[in-house]
Amino acid sequence: MMMYDVIVIGGGPSGLMASIAAAEQNKRVLLIDKGTKLGRKLAISGGGRCNVTNRLPIDEIIRHIPGNGRFLYSAFSIFNNEDIIRFFENLGIPLKEEDHGRMFPVSNRAQSVVDALLSRMDDLGVEVRTQSKVKKIVYQNSQTEGVILESGEKILCAAVVVATGGKSVPQTGSTGDGYPWAEDAGHTITELFPTEVPITSAEPFIKDKSLQGLSLRDVSLSVLKPNGKPLITHKMDMIFTHFGISGPAVLRCSQFVVKAKKKWKLDEVIMELDVLPDQNQEILFQDLQKTVKAEPKKAIKNALKGLIPERYLLFLLERCEIEASLPCASISIEQLRTFVKMCKKFHFKVNGTLSLEKAFVTGGGISLKEIEPKTMASKFMPGLYFCGEILDIYGYTGGYNITSALVTGRLAGTNAAKFVEGN
Ligand SMILES: Cc1cc2nc3c(=O)[nH]c(=O)nc-3n(C[C@H](O)[C@H](O)[C@H](O)COP(=O)(O)OP(=O)(O)OC[C@H]3O[C@@H](n4cnc5c(N)ncnc54)[C@H](O)[C@@H]3O)c2cc1C
């Protein structure tokens, strides 16, 4: 039977980092993954460019992790986004900053990030077993003792780091295998749900594909509470699809649709779209009134050309029951007011999201009340550590999830190694 100090299960960003951190403490480390390759999700992240981390200040990073980001304050005091940037620079992978603080490898290749991690593991002597599915973790005398592979092989160790990810995009290996092992150790798994996922709608204009393929830039998109007040608003781009809506603003709003449906027991949630978020409604109305008055003979669709994308303009005019080719003079003040209101507050119903499997990120996971925030140790089982998306931490896209995975991985690996020393 083999014996290791630390076994890391899962070769995503959290597991790769955990194995490096444990090996840097001169421990004998084995990383096990069921796939043929390591870092499969990492290699497709950020559109194949890997949005490794984000350079915004820590408070902003936490704010962009609506799923329990505050839990990471302690972890960030030990290893944070700037440490990640330095870490990769030292591995020969300089990062560059893009919009909203997003950091990408200068190479623009996610695979270069994966390769750098693998090369560091190799240098440190981390042993790797791919195509080896862990079936369960062995707990003996209230202590972590090792793992059992699906082949039946038992591998002993002093500490186990579970880095098996969530349940999204299962073809990358993230199929939720780690949750029952955590439950076996007494942990609670909070309800899992899709986040950073396109939103579905049964509105007739979605079903008849009136707006399919239309992209809107820098719009303000809100999920409304039953009282009509916004639960959340995001100002970013979006796109209409054949099943609903997608794009950055939509991905960020998606978890709030799920939460609103659950909290208020709703089948449908109202969303509000402001296509001109930088314009005041009353001033916009007065400006358009002047435009319309100045060109009484011009068709309304031509007078309003350039205000918003043409397809959306025609769509809104139709919804306001304004014939697009009518001359401006025939448009009433009430009609113009309705049109302006539609520009600022177009309401439509959504009924959910695509599935957890299609989501970028899994919401929910191992309850953080049961995890030591400075070490990622289980509060129940000595020698057991968790990191990455398996934890109940979920951020917006923008490098926040990989940051969380790398930071929690760093702590889990370091402290699993320290645990071994103390035993
Ligand atoms: C398309 C896409 C793009 C993304 N882009 C970004 C981005 O740009 N920025 C960002 O911050 N986040 C992004 N994310 C999210 C981010 O990739 C994940 O949050 C992150 O990969 C989670 O890391 P992890 O280490 O926890 O788990 P994962 O990366 O999911 O890795 C888990 C590993 O565990 C292994 N495993 C599972 N079960 C077993 C078992 N029983 N035995 C052995 N091995 C097992 C799997 O094979 C897998 O290799 C993206 C996600 C997707 C799907």
Side-chain angles (χ1 to χ4, degrees), residues 9-16 32-35 37-42 44-47 49-53 104 132-135 163-166 168-169 172-178 181 359-361 387-390 396-405:
I9 314 172
S14 66
L16 298 178
I32 306 176
D33 198 290
K34 64 182 175 184
K37 280 188 197 162
L38 301 178
R40 280 180 292 170
K41 195 174 269 184
L42 194 56
I44 59 164
S45 68
R49 295 198 303 132
C50 187
N51 185 186
V52 185
T53 188
F104 290 88
S132 305
K133 184 173 177 185
V134 172
K135 193 170 165 204
T164 45
S168 306
V169 192
T172 60
S174 327
T175 47
D177 298 10
W181 310 334
F360 281 95
V361 181
C387 54
E389 210 175 299
I390 192 172
Y396 292 141
T397 49
Y400 305 105
N401 295 292
I402 294 178
T403 300
S404 168

Side-chain angles (χ1 to χ4, degrees), residues 15 19 46 51 79 113 117 121 178 199 270 272 276 279 286-287 294 301 307 311 313 317 378 386 392 408:
S19 73
N51 185 186
F79 191 79
V113 173
L117 290 165
M121 285 161 59
I199 294 174
I270 311 269
E272 181 177 282
L276 293 167
Q279 303 227 26
Q286 285 165 15
D287 287 350
K301 65 173 179 190
L307 179 71
R311 240 177 112 191
L313 172 68
L317 286 174
S378 157
F386 296 100
D392 185 6
T408 55

Side-chain angles (χ1 to χ4, degrees), residues 53-272:
T53 188
N54 195 293
R55 200 150 217 175
L56 292 180
I58 299 286
D59 284 344
E60 279 298 298
I61 296 206
I62 302 279
R63 211 172 58 76
H64 284 83
I65 306 181
N68 299 315
R70 296 173 65 83
F71 174 80
L72 293 172
Y73 268 119
S74 313
F76 280 143
S77 69
I78 301 164
F79 191 79
N80 59 35
N81 53 337
E82 292 298 330
D83 294 312
I84 292 174
I85 294 165
R86 262 191 302 278
F87 172 85
F88 279 104
E89 249 162 25
N90 289 338
L91 296 187
I93 300 290
L95 305 182
K96 57 173 171 164
E97 186 171 342
E98 297 194 358
D99 58 329
H100 307 287
R102 298 184 306 153
M103 301 296 290
F104 290 88
V106 171
S107 66
N108 278 326
R109 284 178 56 247
Q111 192 59 45
S112 69
V113 173
V114 178
D115 292 344
L117 290 165
L118 298 185
S119 151
R120 177 71 179 145
M121 285 161 59
D122 200 35
D123 290 347
L124 290 165
V126 173
E127 285 182 47
V128 174
R129 283 216 207 173
T130 51
Q131 289 176 280
S132 305
K133 184 173 177 185
V134 172
K135 193 170 165 204
K136 64 181 207 166
I137 299 176
V138 186
Y139 307 114
Q140 197 76 40
N141 304 322
S142 302
Q143 179 126 348
T144 311
E145 196 195 64
V147 304
I148 295 184
L149 302 185
E150 200 151 73
S151 63
E153 186 184 353
K154 185 174 178 182
I155 312 176
L156 296 179
C157 64
V160 170
V161 176
V162 182
T164 45
K167 273 188 124 171
S168 306
V169 192
Q171 55 276 30
T172 60
S174 327
T175 47
D177 298 10
Y179 300 120
W181 310 334
E183 283 175 328
D184 287 348
H187 285 278
T188 314
I189 312 300
T190 63
E191 194 180 336
L192 305 180
F193 57 93
T195 76
E196 301 302 296
V197 64
I199 294 174
T200 55
S201 168
E203 284 277 6
F205 74 89
I206 294 290
K207 294 219 150 189
D208 68 18
K209 303 184 170 60
S210 311
L211 295 177
Q212 185 182 343
L214 173 67
S215 302
L216 298 175
R217 291 192 67 81
D218 259 333
V219 295
S220 194
L221 188 68
S222 305
V223 179
L224 301 186
K225 299 180 199 170
N227 67 6
K229 299 243 163 65
L231 175 63
I232 188 80
T233 301
H234 280 291
K235 189 165 170 271
M236 290 183 118
D237 301 347
M238 65 168 281
I239 183 167
F240 291 93
T241 67
H242 61 287
F243 55 76
I245 49 174
S246 190
V250 175
L251 297 183
R252 289 196 174 189
C253 283
S254 60
Q255 61 178 279
F256 298 94
V257 169
V258 175
K259 287 173 180 168
K261 277 186 74 181
K262 191 173 170 212
K263 180 165 182 188
W264 291 292
K265 298 188 172 55
L266 302 170
D267 290 329
E268 290 184 310
V269 177
I270 311 269
M271 293 193 76
E272 181 177 282

Side-chain angles (χ1 to χ4, degrees), residues 328-405:
C328 288
S330 64
I331 308 300
S332 71
I333 289 191
E334 287 68 37
Q335 281 177 310
L336 199 60
R337 267 206 191 279
T338 311
F339 171 76
V340 168
K341 192 175 168 213
M342 281 280 199
C343 285
K344 296 292 293 172
K345 291 180 176 173
F346 173 53
H347 284 187
F348 58 100
K349 288 182 195 148
V350 298
N351 54 15
T353 67
L354 293 188
S355 66
L356 179 52
E357 286 70 26
K358 293 213 165 72
F360 281 95
V361 181
T362 301
I366 298 175
S367 171
L368 300 174
K369 290 185 203 132
E370 304 160 356
I371 303 293
E372 295 288 351
K374 284 199 160 161
T375 63
M376 300 301 133
S378 157
K379 285 186 180 173
F380 301 147
M381 188 63 72
L384 183 63
Y385 294 78
F386 296 100
C387 54
E389 210 175 299
I390 192 172
L391 294 167
D392 185 6
I393 300 174
Y394 45 97
Y396 292 141
T397 49
Y400 305 105
N401 295 292
I402 294 178
T403 300
S404 168

